[in-house]
Amino acid sequence: MNNSPNQTPRPKKNKVFAILPYILIPLMMVIGIAIASQQSGNRSVEAKYYQIIQYFDKDQVSEFTLNLTSGTLKYKLKGDDTKWQYKVPNVSVFVDDVNETVREHNKNAKSDDDMIKYELISGSSTSWFVNLLPTIIMGVLLVILLVIMMRRMNTMGGDMNKTLNFGKINAKKQQDQKSKTTFEQVAGADEEKEELSEMVDFLKCPEKFSTLGARIPKGVLLVGPPGTGKTLLARAVAGEANVPFFSISGSDFVEMYVGVGASRVRDLFDQAKKDAPSVIFIDEIDAVGRHRGAGMGGGHDEREQTLNQLLVEMDGFEKNQGVIVIAATNRPDILDPALLRPGRFDRQVTVDRPDVKGREQILRVHAENKPMDEDVKFEKLAQMTVGFTGADLANLLNESALLAARRHRSVISMDEVEESMERVIAGPQRKGRVMTEAERTTIAYHESGHALVGHILEHSDPVHKISIVSRGQALGYTLQLPQEDHFLKTKNEMLDELAVFLGGRVAEELMCDDITSGASNDLERATKMAREMVTRLGMSEELGTQVFGEAQHQVFLGRDYADHQDYSEETARRIDIEVQRIMREAHRRAVEILDARRDQLDLMAKVLLERETVEGDAVNALLDNEWDAYLEREGDILAAKEERNAKAAGIPTKKRAPRMSEEELAADAAAFAQAAMQEDAEAASDDAGDADADADADADADADK
């Protein structure tokens, strides 16, 4: 196979050298352990020759071994298991000195155990080399290992330089994108795009502003909840202006090494200045721009040093010509005031949740590449998704597409969209959860109570769906969707919402044998809302228009950690009494509504136990107490729904005949009865004719006889 000249194959020797250290190091360890273990059994002694001879003369030696060539004496003393080693100066002299002593001792020994055991070894002249061989091998391996490591250090010089350059920023530069983001791709943010269009004009034509003496804002802070499109807007600014776009997260500046964050800030702005005009986008700037002086360490904190460098780069002694900084955060309250002053972040653009018109635009944008059924009405869907962000709406349509594919459908219908919306809000269904019949009955009455109270009260949101099928942590749920966006909540709306919260518990009290723990979340939310009405919103006539409790802002923690009680114990008692009064009033209203409609509540629970989920026309019929009338037309409603689902799944359906009126039905029934009577008459005449023919035949037969 021929290799192209641009592709140079990597030598295999490099792979061998890379593996060798992992082989040599364990091998050297094994040899070292072997040498150590070999020498660990023998202990050398620095003794005089005459002391060794005295050991033999005093009968203290139990056994010994003598190498006649090297002169190595290994011996043991009586009562000691240690094997000592001594280098004999002259082997022949030593043998003459101890020979007679050992022979005499062994001759007079009473038993074999008392005898001195000895062994004379005639070692070869090469024994010293054999002893030194492990050490030689270990030295050679060490030299080879050092050579390999030196070669590797030389080849990895470039990588080491990269590793040591931890002060350099790793910003993503997005300039040569094939598909750049533009303002047309950003839906539901018309006001925000208008605010940012000045940035685009400055980046395209800065002379237009400089000739008039205008100073373009150096920084724009995008503030809003997560998922509202802050990053998308920043990309759109760079895409519209067709300039380099540097994106980085605020957490990328902070490291454990002192001074790394400040170094990375300098490097980021140096890169942006080289490619000016350019856009720097810092996502989640609250990670590096928190209020100074809040943490331990004061001004020497690493985060504060990074923030100081960012402040200097944005508006310091040096000018940032052609560099615009766009930052995003959902916590502007914890940012340092020096960061928000004019000259740094001159503008704050609030990217809020989209309104009903914006949601419709976002839905249409995300539905462009998806096959949607005719029954999907984006206007209705936008009204149902109050409070959804752009990310939520994108996730909603994606879940709908996944659900349609799971159901083997060719298009996405409204059923999949509504099911996906419930999955996003409450979680997936948990039909496998086994519950007793008593629990199912209690849940049915509980959810019926919520729905009926919410339907009766004037200021409550319309009920969209009731279900006793578990979703997420909820054993059942009642889905209420507002018809329009609300930016304010009135006192009457909050009081009605409290009654709806308590509707489930009241239904259990009226229709069940005992109350359950199923209303714990309802009670928690209701109590929190009632206390907010009294202490925060000034909606209590007893306590007046006053706020009780001052929040203690813990900026370092990033949240309001606690409330400071700036009122007396008597006021606290009055607050508790007022909260109890509001809760009792809401409970009384729920009791009045449900107690007067026990039969309807019974019917709703019965239907829920039978069908588990009620929605659409069925839930409206239940709440309006017109269930019998709904059952008469339910067949047509279900047939139309099945036809629509079959069409979405690509299954051919038979065309149904149009429904006939009552007059047409009566005329059709009369015609059917008349035709049936005529057929009976004809059949009777035919039977009579057959009987006469049989009688004539019998008479002829008798005459022949």
Side-chain angles (χ1 to χ4, degrees):
M1 182 176 66
N2 296 327
N3 295 326
S4 61
N6 297 328
Q7 296 178 350
T8 305
R10 190 174 180 180
K12 295 184 179 179
K13 292 183 179 180
N14 293 343
K15 295 183 179 180
V16 176
F17 283 118
I19 299 173
L20 274 178
Y22 300 100
I23 300 175
L24 293 179
I25 292 176
L27 185 60
M28 293 172 63
M29 293 177 64
V30 170
I31 294 175
I33 293 171
I35 295 174
S37 62
Q38 183 180 0
Q39 296 180 353
S40 62
N42 302 325
R43 297 182 61 181
S44 299
V45 59
E46 296 181 1
K48 304 295 184 182
Y49 180 76
Y50 73 91
Q51 294 176 340
I52 302 298
I53 299 300
Q54 286 180 359
Y55 290 153
F56 285 90
D57 293 341
K58 295 179 180 181
D59 197 17
Q60 295 179 353
V61 179
S62 61
E63 62 179 63
F64 69 92
T65 303
L66 178 64
N67 192 318
L68 299 178
T69 303
S70 62
T72 302
L73 174 66
K74 298 178 182 179
Y75 62 95
K76 286 184 179 181
L77 300 178
K78 292 182 178 179
D80 188 5
D81 292 334
T82 305
K83 198 170 187 179
W84 301 91
Q85 183 173 317
Y86 176 74
K87 182 71 173 178
V88 177
N90 193 321
V91 176
S92 60
V93 175
F94 176 77
V95 171
D96 292 339
D97 291 341
V98 302
N99 185 28
E100 188 65 27
T101 304
V102 172
R103 190 184 335 175
E104 195 65 28
H105 177 82
N106 292 337
K107 184 178 179 182
N108 299 327
K110 297 179 180 180
S111 63
D112 294 339
D113 296 336
D114 295 336
M115 296 177 64
I116 299 176
K117 302 177 179 63
Y118 63 91
E119 183 181 3
L120 302 178
I121 303 174
S122 299
S124 64
S125 60
T126 59
S127 61
W128 65 271
F129 179 77
V130 176
N131 294 329
L132 291 177
L133 185 60
T135 306
I136 295 172
I137 294 175
M138 193 171 180
V140 172
L141 293 177
L142 183 60
V143 172
I144 295 174
L145 182 61
L146 291 175
V147 172
I148 294 173
M149 296 301 293
M150 292 297 294
R151 288 188 177 183
R152 175 170 278 189
M153 289 290 291
N154 293 330
T155 57
M156 294 177 62
D159 296 336
M160 291 294 293
N161 292 332
K162 293 180 181 179
T163 305
L164 294 175
N165 290 332
F166 50 82
K168 301 294 183 180
I169 195 69
N170 188 22
K172 298 178 181 178
K173 182 180 178 182
Q174 301 174 1
Q175 183 180 9
D176 301 327
Q177 293 183 354
K178 295 182 179 179
S179 57
K180 292 183 178 181
T181 305
T182 60
F183 280 156
E184 294 181 357
Q185 300 173 1
V186 182
D190 297 335
E191 292 83 3
E192 292 84 352
K193 290 190 290 186
E194 185 177 353
E195 287 287 335
L196 295 174
S197 60
E198 291 183 7
M199 307 293 165
V200 178
D201 294 338
F202 171 74
L203 291 171
K204 287 184 177 180
C205 185
E207 296 83 9
K208 182 173 68 173
F209 297 89
S210 60
T211 54
L212 297 174
R215 181 181 60 84
I216 198 69
K218 295 183 179 181
V220 178
L221 183 64
L222 302 178
V223 180
T228 52
K230 299 184 292 293
T231 305
L232 187 63
L233 279 170
R235 293 182 185 275
V237 171
E240 287 285 341
N242 196 20
V243 296
F245 180 77
F246 297 88
S247 65
I248 192 170
S249 174
S251 60
D252 292 338
F253 293 108
V254 184
E255 289 280 354
M256 70 176 192
Y257 301 107
V258 178
V260 173
S263 175
R264 289 181 175 179
V265 171
R266 288 191 295 268
D267 185 63
L268 174 62
F269 277 86
D270 289 340
Q271 294 182 25
K273 290 175 185 177
K274 292 178 182 178
D275 296 332
S278 58
V279 175
I280 295 176
F281 176 65
I282 305 175
D283 198 9
E284 305 296 340
I285 195 173
D286 53 277
V288 70
R290 289 177 181 266
H291 200 294
R292 289 173 292 180
M296 302 297 294
H300 297 284
D301 186 62
E302 171 65 14
R303 184 184 287 107
E304 295 189 5
Q305 293 188 25
T306 306
L307 176 58
N308 293 337
Q309 186 63 42
L310 180 61
L311 296 176
V312 172
E313 292 290 342
M314 291 189 68
D315 188 20
F317 289 103
E318 297 183 2
K319 294 183 178 180
N320 280 336
Q321 294 293 337
V323 178
I324 292 179
V325 181
I326 302 177
T329 181
N330 53 359
R331 293 302 310 272
D333 55 318
I334 65 174
L335 295 180
D336 194 274
L339 196 62
L340 303 177
R341 74 159 177 84
R344 292 187 176 118
F345 285 111
D346 304 86
R347 289 185 182 178
Q348 291 190 24
V349 178
T350 301
V351 187
D352 206 351
R353 302 177 187 272
D355 55 6
V356 60
K357 183 180 178 182
R359 291 195 298 272
E360 182 180 348
Q361 295 175 359
I362 295 172
L363 287 169
R364 293 186 182 277
V365 168
H366 290 292
E368 287 180 355
N369 59 344
K370 296 179 177 63
M372 309 300 294
D373 197 6
E374 298 176 354
D375 64 338
V376 178
K377 306 298 181 184
F378 292 106
E379 300 85 358
K380 180 182 177 183
L381 191 57
Q383 294 176 356
M384 295 169 57
T385 52
V386 177
F388 277 49
T389 63
D392 295 332
L393 296 173
N395 185 41
L396 172 63
L397 291 185
N398 185 62
E399 288 287 339
S400 304
L402 295 175
L403 186 59
R406 199 179 303 132
R407 294 177 177 179
H408 306 288
R409 297 188 173 183
S410 58
V411 294
I412 303 171
S413 65
M414 196 65 180
D415 292 338
E416 284 79 35
V417 177
E418 291 183 356
E419 173 67 21
S420 301
M421 184 175 64
E422 294 176 23
R423 289 171 64 92
V424 172
I425 296 175
Q429 289 187 359
R430 302 179 64 181
K431 293 185 177 181
R433 177 177 286 174
V434 180
M435 290 183 293
T436 63
E437 192 63 28
E439 290 177 336
R440 294 180 73 252
T441 304
T442 302
I443 296 170
Y445 279 114
H446 184 101
E447 299 302 332
S448 300
H450 283 308
L452 193 54
V453 174
H455 178 70
I456 297 300
L457 294 177
E458 180 183 358
H459 303 285
S460 181
D461 294 329
V463 179
H464 182 72
K465 187 175 184 178
I466 314 172
S467 178
I468 61 172
V469 179
S470 300
R471 282 188 179 272
Q473 299 296 323
L475 300 177
Y477 63 96
T478 300
L479 186 61
Q480 291 182 269
L481 298 175
Q483 294 180 337
E484 56 187 6
D485 295 341
H486 293 283
F487 300 98
L488 297 173
K489 270 192 175 182
T490 65
K491 181 180 178 181
N492 290 327
E493 288 176 350
M494 299 182 75
L495 292 176
D496 288 356
E497 192 171 351
L498 287 176
V500 174
F501 282 148
L502 299 179
R505 167 57 63 87
V506 171
E508 294 181 14
E509 295 173 358
L510 296 177
M511 311 302 294
C512 300
D513 297 333
D514 198 0
I515 58 177
T516 65
S517 61
S520 60
N521 187 41
D522 300 329
L523 296 175
E524 181 181 352
R525 295 167 63 188
T527 306
K528 184 179 179 181
M529 181 179 290
R531 186 167 291 276
E532 243 183 48
M533 292 173 64
V534 176
T535 60
R536 289 281 183 261
L537 305 178
M539 293 183 177
S540 172
E541 296 180 359
E542 177 69 22
L543 295 169
T545 54
Q546 184 178 349
V547 176
F548 299 94
E550 181 183 358
Q552 291 183 339
H553 298 279
Q554 302 289 335
V555 183
F556 181 68
L557 298 177
R559 63 178 62 191
D560 299 340
Y561 186 70
D563 287 340
H564 174 65
Q565 185 172 329
D566 54 358
Y567 47 87
S568 64
E569 293 296 331
E570 176 63 23
T571 305
R573 188 185 66 84
R574 293 173 61 193
I575 291 174
D576 293 338
I577 293 175
E578 187 65 11
V579 172
Q580 290 177 5
R581 186 193 65 80
I582 294 174
M583 293 289 292
R584 291 184 183 277
E585 180 65 21
H587 183 272
R588 184 192 61 80
R589 296 178 66 193
V591 170
E592 288 181 356
I593 293 173
L594 296 181
D595 191 30
R597 296 169 176 82
R598 286 176 176 262
D599 296 338
Q600 186 178 355
L601 193 62
D602 236 345
L603 176 63
M604 292 176 65
K606 181 180 178 183
V607 173
L608 281 174
L609 289 172
E610 180 183 350
R611 304 194 175 194
E612 291 188 341
T613 300
V614 182
E615 59 183 333
D617 296 336
V619 72
N620 294 329
L622 272 179
L623 296 173
D624 294 333
N625 205 12
E626 298 176 353
W627 184 248
D628 294 335
Y630 169 77
L631 291 178
E632 294 179 357
R633 65 179 189 275
E634 185 181 27
D636 294 337
I637 297 174
L638 295 178
K641 186 177 181 180
E642 290 177 1
E643 183 179 355
R644 187 170 61 251
N645 293 337
K647 183 180 179 181
I651 302 173
T653 57
K654 295 180 179 180
K655 188 176 181 180
R656 296 188 302 116
R659 181 179 175 90
M660 294 184 294
S661 62
E662 294 182 0
E663 292 81 4
E664 293 174 342
L665 288 173
D668 187 65
F672 180 78
Q674 186 176 0
M677 292 175 61
Q678 187 176 357
E679 290 179 359
D680 292 339
E682 291 176 356
S685 62
D686 292 339
D687 292 339
D690 294 338
D692 293 339
D694 292 338
D696 294 338
D698 292 339
D700 293 338
D702 292 339
D704 292 336
K705 289 179 179 179

